[in-house]
Amino acid sequence: MSLTLKRNTEYMKTSHTCGFDGLLVKKRKSSDALKGSMKNMEVKRKVFNIVKLLLHHIFATPFTKMENDLVNDGNHHYFEDVLQKIEENKYEDSQQVFDDLVDILEATTRTNKEVNTMLLGNNGIEVKKITYSKEDVELMANQMRKKIYNLEKNLFREELEVNQNEEKQDLEIIQPMDDLDKTFKTLQSRFPAVPALILMTKALDISLSKSLDLDFIRNELEETNKKYQPKFKSYKFFPSRKHDFNMDKVIHSYIAGYQFHKMITKLSNSPVPMRTILNMSDAIESITYIENKESTEAYKKQKDVFEKQGKVDENINVEEMLLFHGTAVASLDSILNSNFIVDALPQQLNTQNEQRKKTMMFGRGVYFSELPAISLMYGNGLLLCKVMPGNCERFKPQGVPPPEISAEYDSREVESNNSQGVIHVVKSPAQILPYCVIQLKKQSLSSQYTKPSQCVQQNSSATPSQAPDQAQAGWSMIRGEKSKAHCKMITIQKTMQNYTFPAASSADQQTCSICCDLLSNETAVSLARCGHKFHSLCVQEVTAHQAGQQHIQCPNCQTIQGVKTGNQPTEGEMRWRKNNGKVPGYPDCGRIVIKYSMVDGVQEDCHPHPGKPFHAKGFPRTAILPDNQQGNVVLTLLIKAFQRRLIFTVGPSLSRGEEDCVTWNGIHHKTVLLDAGSGHGYPDGGYLDRVVEELKQIGVE
């Protein structure tokens, strides 16, 4: 944030001896009339109040201490130091005070460094960081010099004026300065919702100006007060060994505290990260119960709608849940005032110091969790809400983003791989009622978190949605299907039962193409899909030597009966994400990037040399697709093929001339962006059609 302004006057030069309007404010020889003895308690009180008000001036920020300032090393001074010296009776007269204030301005402007400060909310939480450039500081220092000069002049104006009538008028003007703290407190009690900085500025103006329209100021502050007036009532409670069960609204703090402690200790195989909370049993600083009349009425109306629509449980009640929502602390007041806004952007900044994008990876809506450790990943502001899920869709992540929540559903519950609900996406704010704000202790809010586990649904047919923000959400990860510890012969027998049937008797002499012997009606079987006939034992022998025994691939026409699986090593990962990059030949869409990772291991029974090590060299390997409709179809098919362990195999590497390596398994990939003659890159207008056909040949379609 910069406060640099256009300067159109010669009085704004960088000279440290001249301030605004050409006023001489430093290195001046002031008359004794401008000196007031600090031993005079009335003089001391006036000067003290002036310095205190200067601390709250809009341009005083670079010259005052902030929460993040280090302990003063004696080389740099602030306005607060002057205030402390006044209290410690270290000044003989008032001019020494004003000289010190100007010295602080000059010392700060002489530094070539930028000045960093932070704005703090009412609860002491950092709201925004501000950086002032050197030009900013010079401009603000000149403004402060002018203000200090006027304050000094007005303080003892009665000693400088000759005309007695003017002296009387000036005394009347200065009179409010006799108790400026009282002026501020009066304004604060009259306009409690107005920020303190605005009130301090108005109090200072009232005290020093001759011609202010007080009615105008009052009307202005009344409008400002309405603007900042919260629409909700709050009741704040603190944990204590003593309990007053008759205290108004205290029951709500017990409910919120119970819900937090019950769910913070709950473990989950979550598909999203979970924040680590330290000292969980003593993590709560305070609980604030919220009452908002408008939000409550909207919530009750939505409840009536659900009742009329028959969205009730077995007891004819609309289901309600207590769910957590995490956000920036600075966003809490807005939510409590006006409830949630589905498309509201996050206030936090990302690592590039840009506003964080809102990625609704599980559909459009307001996001909640039963687990506070998940919600706290999105900010230190923890809000417990009453939520009516209505007609709720259950969803288990499959490695690709789900479609938007359809019209028949009111919410979506995202489940972990053990079917526990971890994320709730609510379509309408009317289904939500903010209930309690739970403020945690700073020492309990660690930066540590547990990584998400992956919930992979096999044989998914979902098509990845084209979401431009997917790159912001990171990589989607897929794992191959684990080997099942079933007896090989039992699996073969089940496959034979599922995909063969006794061959019909035929007068013609037919030959088994596997063993080349004549078929007999007693031993012949026909394959379920293509109808070709073979000896039953021959089919079993072929199946036994395949990478997987859950399918039969016809030796004659290559038709696959069942679901073909391969021998790709199980300890591998497929990751993919989308970005806005272009693919040669596809100028109108983005790019899908796939990354395959494999590790060394020991060969299994389905590999060429069981028990012998194999090596995964040249990983990770990258593949590229265009992010258009056909590219997303190919991505879905490749995901299915990877889950079935068909992308890679273990065998000899022709390119390396080595045995027992993880190699491609015949499905062509574009591994570079621009083709240099190898055929491994783009442009290639026929590639997507060819790879779809290749996948179809191995039963992936």
Side-chain angles (χ1 to χ4, degrees):
M1 176 178 178
S2 177
L3 292 177
T4 303
L5 304 174
K6 296 289 184 182
R7 286 172 283 179
N8 299 319
T9 173
E10 294 182 358
Y11 296 120
M12 299 191 58
K13 296 178 181 179
T14 57
S15 170
H16 299 302
T17 63
C18 196
F20 261 60
D21 303 323
L23 296 174
L24 194 65
V25 295
K26 181 60 181 169
K27 296 181 180 177
R28 62 202 184 286
K29 290 192 179 292
S30 181
S31 67
D32 291 339
L34 283 177
K35 293 183 180 180
S37 173
M38 294 296 284
K39 294 180 180 180
N40 185 316
M41 295 306 296
E42 185 66 16
V43 172
K44 179 180 177 181
R45 184 175 63 82
K46 288 182 178 182
V47 173
F48 183 85
N49 284 337
I50 287 175
V51 177
K52 194 172 181 181
L53 282 172
L54 284 172
L55 285 171
H56 297 279
H57 193 278
I58 191 170
F59 290 125
T61 310
F63 317 108
T64 59
K65 290 182 180 178
M66 291 293 152
E67 293 291 327
N68 58 334
D69 284 326
L70 298 175
V71 177
N72 197 330
D73 57 3
N75 297 324
H76 197 88
H77 296 282
Y78 303 92
F79 283 0
E80 288 89 348
D81 298 320
V82 175
L83 209 61
Q84 183 177 345
K85 288 174 70 175
I86 294 174
E87 291 179 326
E88 295 174 354
N89 298 319
K90 292 187 176 181
Y91 291 110
E92 293 183 1
D93 57 60
S94 59
Q95 186 173 327
Q96 292 178 356
V97 177
F98 293 112
D99 285 348
D100 265 8
L101 291 172
V102 174
D103 286 341
I104 291 170
L105 300 178
E106 294 190 6
T108 305
T109 54
R110 278 198 300 268
T111 63
N112 293 320
K113 298 180 181 178
E114 294 180 335
V115 177
N116 294 317
T117 67
M118 62 177 65
L119 295 180
L120 303 178
N122 293 331
N123 53 7
I125 301 298
E126 179 181 343
V127 174
K128 186 181 293 185
K129 186 175 182 179
I130 301 177
T131 299
Y132 296 112
S133 69
K134 192 172 187 295
E135 282 186 318
D136 294 337
V137 176
E138 289 175 358
L139 175 64
M140 298 167 83
N142 279 327
Q143 286 278 23
M144 293 304 296
R145 286 191 189 96
K146 179 182 177 183
K147 184 63 68 175
I148 291 170
Y149 179 84
N150 286 334
L151 287 171
E152 181 182 8
K153 185 172 66 173
N154 287 337
L155 179 62
F156 301 107
R157 182 183 292 271
E158 66 272 22
E159 298 179 35
L160 294 174
E161 299 294 337
V162 178
N163 188 289
Q164 295 300 317
N165 292 328
E166 288 183 356
E167 178 182 352
K168 182 177 180 181
Q169 293 174 4
D170 289 331
L171 285 172
E172 290 174 353
I173 294 170
I174 299 173
Q175 191 64 37
M177 287 183 54
D178 287 345
D179 204 342
L180 292 174
D181 275 346
K182 185 178 179 181
T183 304
F184 169 73
K185 290 176 181 178
T186 301
L187 292 177
Q188 195 172 42
S189 62
R190 177 66 179 82
F191 309 104
V194 177
L197 182 60
I198 296 177
L199 293 178
M200 278 290 185
T201 304
K202 294 299 181 185
L204 190 61
D205 289 341
I206 291 171
S207 303
L208 299 178
S209 177
K210 300 179 182 179
S211 57
L212 276 181
D213 186 342
L214 294 180
D215 289 335
F216 176 79
I217 291 178
R218 180 168 55 252
N219 294 334
E220 185 182 26
L221 288 176
E222 284 176 352
E223 290 300 318
T224 306
N225 195 66
K226 290 178 183 178
K227 177 182 176 182
Y228 287 96
Q229 190 72 41
K231 298 179 182 178
F232 62 91
K233 291 182 180 180
S234 61
Y235 304 83
K236 196 167 188 176
F237 304 95
F238 298 88
S240 173
R241 293 181 61 188
K242 298 179 180 180
H243 300 274
D244 183 358
F245 298 107
N246 295 319
M247 188 184 298
D248 190 28
K249 314 295 183 182
V250 72
I251 184 64
H252 301 291
S253 70
Y254 290 127
I255 294 172
Y258 167 79
Q259 192 70 13
F260 174 83
H261 287 295
K262 181 179 76 170
M263 304 308 294
I264 195 65
T265 56
K266 212 165 191 177
L267 299 177
S268 170
N269 294 320
S270 169
V272 293
M274 297 177 65
R275 191 167 180 179
T276 301
I277 303 301
L278 306 177
N279 193 19
M280 291 183 290
S281 63
D282 190 33
I284 295 178
E285 176 74 27
S286 66
I287 296 175
T288 304
Y289 167 63
I290 303 300
E291 285 184 346
N292 185 315
K293 187 176 180 180
E294 289 183 10
S295 298
T296 301
E297 289 177 355
Y299 186 77
K300 287 180 178 178
K301 287 180 181 179
Q302 185 62 51
K303 194 172 184 179
D304 292 338
V305 171
F306 280 169
E307 285 180 350
K308 292 176 181 178
Q309 293 174 343
K311 298 175 181 179
V312 294
D313 58 20
E314 61 275 8
N315 298 317
I316 322 297
N317 294 321
V318 175
E319 181 186 0
E320 295 181 87
M321 305 179 70
L322 283 175
L323 301 177
F324 294 95
H325 177 85
T327 185
V329 173
S331 301
L332 284 174
D333 278 353
S334 174
I335 295 173
L336 300 178
N337 265 313
S338 308
N339 212 335
F340 289 88
I341 300 174
V342 174
D343 295 316
L345 293 175
Q347 292 196 11
Q348 302 100 319
L349 302 180
N350 60 22
T351 54
Q352 283 76 42
N353 208 32
E354 301 169 339
Q355 187 174 37
R356 182 171 65 83
K357 292 185 178 180
K358 190 168 188 173
T359 305
M360 300 183 186
M361 62 186 302
F362 296 114
R364 184 175 181 275
V366 184
Y367 279 59
F368 294 90
S369 179
E370 296 179 59
L371 307 176
I374 291 178
S375 298
L376 285 165
M377 288 297 299
Y378 300 92
N380 293 341
L382 187 62
L383 184 59
L384 183 65
C385 297
K386 293 181 180 180
V387 176
M388 295 181 291
N391 188 16
C392 182
E393 175 191 27
R394 263 68 181 181
F395 171 77
K396 186 172 289 187
Q398 303 170 359
V400 294
E404 293 295 340
I405 305 172
S406 62
E408 63 180 303
Y409 294 108
D410 305 298
S411 64
R412 172 179 285 160
E413 181 176 353
V414 181
E415 298 179 339
S416 63
N417 53 16
N418 61 358
S419 299
Q420 178 186 352
V422 291
I423 296 172
H424 296 260
V425 186
V426 182
K427 287 173 71 172
S428 171
Q431 298 169 237
I432 307 163
L433 182 63
Y435 180 53
C436 285
V437 176
I438 302 177
Q439 183 179 338
L440 302 185
K441 296 178 179 178
K442 291 182 180 179
Q443 56 267 33
S444 293
L445 292 167
S446 74
S447 58
Q448 302 171 4
Y449 64 93
T450 57
K451 294 182 179 180
S453 62
Q454 296 300 319
C455 305
V456 179
Q457 180 116 350
Q458 303 299 333
N459 304 326
S460 167
S461 60
T463 300
S465 62
Q466 297 187 34
D469 290 340
Q470 183 65 30
Q472 300 297 329
W475 294 85
S476 295
M477 187 176 73
I478 311 296
R479 294 185 184 274
E481 183 179 303
K482 294 289 185 180
S483 300
K484 296 180 180 179
H486 291 164
C487 173
K488 189 174 184 178
M489 290 309 300
I490 293 176
T491 303
I492 293 172
Q493 290 299 323
K494 287 183 178 180
T495 302
M496 293 293 293
Q497 292 173 11
N498 292 334
Y499 304 115
T500 67
F501 55 88
S505 59
S506 174
D508 299 333
Q509 292 289 327
Q510 296 186 26
T511 302
C512 172
S513 61
I514 297 174
C515 66
C516 298
D517 288 342
L518 293 175
L519 291 170
S520 64
N521 293 332
E522 292 79 13
T523 60
V525 294
S526 294
L527 299 185
R529 288 190 64 188
C530 62
H532 287 120
K533 298 178 182 179
F534 307 93
H535 290 120
S536 177
L537 289 177
C538 290
V539 175
Q540 292 181 46
E541 188 69 17
V542 169
T543 305
H545 287 87
Q546 294 174 164
Q549 284 73 49
Q550 291 154 1
H551 73 284
I552 301 171
Q553 188 162 5
C554 178
N556 292 352
C557 65
Q558 302 302 308
T559 300
I560 296 172
Q561 339 284 314
V563 178
K564 182 174 182 177
T565 56
N567 64 359
Q568 170 184 295
T570 57
E571 298 302 322
E573 294 177 354
M574 172 186 181
R575 297 176 182 265
W576 64 270
R577 69 177 178 183
K578 301 179 181 182
N579 60 42
N580 295 325
K582 301 300 180 184
V583 176
Y586 299 91
D588 299 326
C589 64
R591 183 189 305 167
I592 302 172
V593 180
I594 304 171
K595 186 178 291 185
Y596 295 107
S597 299
M598 289 286 164
V599 294
D600 296 348
V602 178
Q603 297 182 50
E604 301 174 10
D605 291 341
C606 57
H607 294 139
H609 305 111
K612 188 176 179 181
F614 66 81
H615 304 284
K617 297 184 178 181
F619 286 91
R621 298 183 185 181
T622 301
I624 301 166
L625 293 170
D627 187 12
N628 58 12
Q629 184 176 0
Q630 193 175 13
N632 278 273
V633 169
V634 172
L635 173 61
T636 301
L637 296 176
L638 290 176
I639 288 171
K640 191 180 293 186
F642 189 86
Q643 291 172 337
R644 295 181 185 177
R645 303 173 65 192
L646 295 169
I647 299 291
F648 298 98
T649 186
V650 174
S653 170
L654 298 180
S655 60
R656 295 180 179 275
E658 300 176 5
E659 294 287 337
D660 304 315
C661 294
V662 179
T663 64
W664 293 107
N665 195 27
I667 303 171
H668 288 88
H669 286 68
K670 293 296 185 183
T671 55
V672 294
L673 192 60
L674 189 63
D675 188 16
S678 64
H680 296 154
Y682 294 93
D684 186 346
Y687 166 69
L688 296 178
D689 291 327
R690 292 198 309 273
V691 74
V692 168
E693 188 60 32
E694 289 173 357
L695 289 160
K696 184 178 179 180
Q697 293 299 319
I698 58 174
V700 180
E701 53 184 328

